[in-house]
Amino acid sequence: MIEQLLQKAVQVGRPFIEKGAVATYIPELGNADKNKLGICVHTLDGGRFACGDVHDRFSIQSISKVITLAAALELCGFDTVFENVGMEPSGDAFNSLIKLEISGSHPYNPMINSGAIAVASYTQPRISFSNMLALTQQLCHDKGVVLDEKVYHSEMENVARNRAIAYLLESKGVIKGNVEEALDFYVRMCSLSVTAEGLANLGLLLANDGVDPNGGGRLLESDTVRVVKTIMLTCGMYDGSGEFAVRVGLPTKSGVGGGLLSLADGQMGIGIYGPALDIKGNSIAGEQMLRFLSSQLHLHMFDSSRFAVDPKTML
């Protein structure tokens, strides 16, 4: 049964926790219990499977970039979003300014801070934060998603680097509106509280081409979902995205709050919570769990036997 497989995945991931550490550059995130670990899998045929701390709430952080990108594509259109934001892996840390400044380039992609702040600046004039919160609740199928005020204020009190990125973007003409409003919108989205279960719901929606598998109709356009999933695959794990794509082969987005949003297209959504991070800012145990599941269930998008395996028959 798949429950046993998830239990094994947690066993595989847990020894790696001691090698990781919780994020502390946002002080409130440093209060997380690094030993928490949970995984939730929702399948398109209605299966709901979980193991561990899947109901614990934690800060969504950079996983919110997936939602903001989707909203921007729907509200602004592809050409506007990618006029000044690229689609290439950066090879640098998520909060790096190096290439943005030295090469004179625009942000490399929407999954690093510079690109996400730019995308937030396009989105913020077109939709209120309260409506973005409601959208997040709908996409995650979770009315419990709220703004974590402690995380928000902690991040705003330590936002100097992202503020520097934002004003650098303004100097390059990438941000044309109000810098502080765009930055506040970005931080608020990063400060939403979610669960692994909610992330599995979002992953399942993306795996189902933007159609609510619970009968709620189409929530995101097919073109939007295609772009989002592609960017997740190539850029979603910061400067570890290339190796992750080779080893795991699933569109995935990480956040320094310890979350992982992942999906097997046409099959399942996966949500993980594991706040102990590796040096790149990804859940260290969560990544190992995804490696294990991808191998055991042949989920890698280029695995030739991928659709020949029924996950419910796996042990």
Side-chain angles (χ1 to χ4, degrees):
M1 296 292 291
I2 196 167
E3 288 95 342
Q4 293 173 294
L5 192 65
L6 295 188
Q7 291 171 6
K8 178 62 176 176
V10 171
Q11 292 173 5
V12 168
R14 189 166 294 282
F16 288 85
I17 291 176
E18 66 181 30
K19 301 177 182 179
V22 298
T24 56
Y25 72 96
I26 301 172
E28 186 63 28
L29 298 185
N31 294 325
D33 180 353
K34 69 176 290 185
N35 293 306
K36 291 284 187 177
L37 190 62
I39 181 169
C40 191
V41 171
H42 292 174
T43 60
L44 280 177
D45 62 2
R48 299 291 185 269
F49 310 98
C51 182
D53 304 305
V54 298
H55 300 298
D56 286 45
R57 292 210 168 267
F58 57 92
S59 179
I60 191 171
Q61 291 299 312
S62 284
I63 299 172
S64 68
K65 294 169 182 175
V66 171
I67 299 170
T68 304
L69 175 59
L73 289 167
E74 304 256 309
L75 293 168
C76 309
F78 179 91
D79 291 341
T80 296
V81 170
F82 289 106
E83 179 181 6
N84 289 311
V85 177
M87 296 177 247
E88 305 298 333
S90 70
D92 294 322
F94 60 89
N95 60 353
S96 175
L97 295 88
I98 296 174
K99 288 178 181 173
L100 187 63
E101 175 60 16
I102 294 177
S103 67
S105 68
H106 295 148
Y108 267 56
N109 65 73
M111 297 293 112
I112 56 175
N113 290 14
S114 58
I117 293 170
V119 171
S121 77
Y122 309 147
T123 311
Q124 178 265 327
R126 292 173 169 83
I127 185 171
S128 66
F129 171 72
S130 63
N131 285 339
M132 280 296 291
L133 174 58
L135 175 63
T136 303
Q137 293 173 341
Q138 183 181 33
L139 298 181
C140 292
H141 220 268
D142 179 8
K143 291 293 186 182
V145 175
V146 295
L147 175 67
D148 186 322
E149 294 282 353
K150 289 183 178 180
V151 172
Y152 167 70
H153 289 296
S154 182
E155 190 157 354
M156 287 302 293
E157 290 167 2
N158 296 271
V159 78
R161 189 174 187 87
N162 281 334
R163 178 170 280 120
I165 290 173
Y167 278 101
L168 183 57
L169 291 171
E170 183 192 40
S171 74
K172 293 173 175 292
V174 175
I175 292 180
K176 298 180 174 66
N178 187 297
V179 174
E180 292 297 329
E181 289 178 359
L183 185 62
D184 184 76
F185 184 89
Y186 168 80
V187 173
R188 285 178 181 273
M189 287 300 298
C190 288
S191 302
L192 298 180
S193 66
V194 294
T195 65
E197 183 178 40
L199 294 182
N201 285 330
L202 175 54
L204 186 62
L205 175 73
L206 296 174
N208 200 37
D209 195 41
V211 176
D212 185 355
N214 299 303
R218 178 167 290 283
L219 302 182
L220 296 172
E221 294 299 321
S222 183
D223 284 348
T224 294
V225 175
R226 174 181 54 81
V227 172
V228 166
K229 289 188 291 194
T230 306
I231 296 292
M232 286 173 65
L233 178 68
T234 58
C235 308
M237 297 291 282
Y238 304 131
D239 48 326
S241 297
E243 181 177 354
F244 184 86
V246 171
R247 292 185 181 275
V248 182
L250 297 175
T252 302
K253 183 69 193 87
S254 65
V256 295
L260 286 172
L261 161 68
S262 191
L263 64 109
D265 206 31
Q267 293 181 280
M268 67 182 67
I270 305 169
I272 287 175
Y273 176 45
L277 310 178
D278 64 17
I279 60 173
K280 298 180 186 297
N282 300 316
S283 173
I284 191 167
E287 184 171 350
Q288 294 300 320
M289 290 197 291
L290 284 177
R291 284 192 190 188
F292 175 77
L293 280 185
S294 179
S295 173
Q296 293 295 306
L297 296 176
H298 300 276
L299 296 178
H300 194 298
M301 61 187 302
F302 298 119
D303 190 322
S304 60
S305 59
R306 179 180 164 212
F307 288 101
V309 177
D310 181 356
K312 290 184 290 187
T313 67
M314 299 295 295
L315 296 178

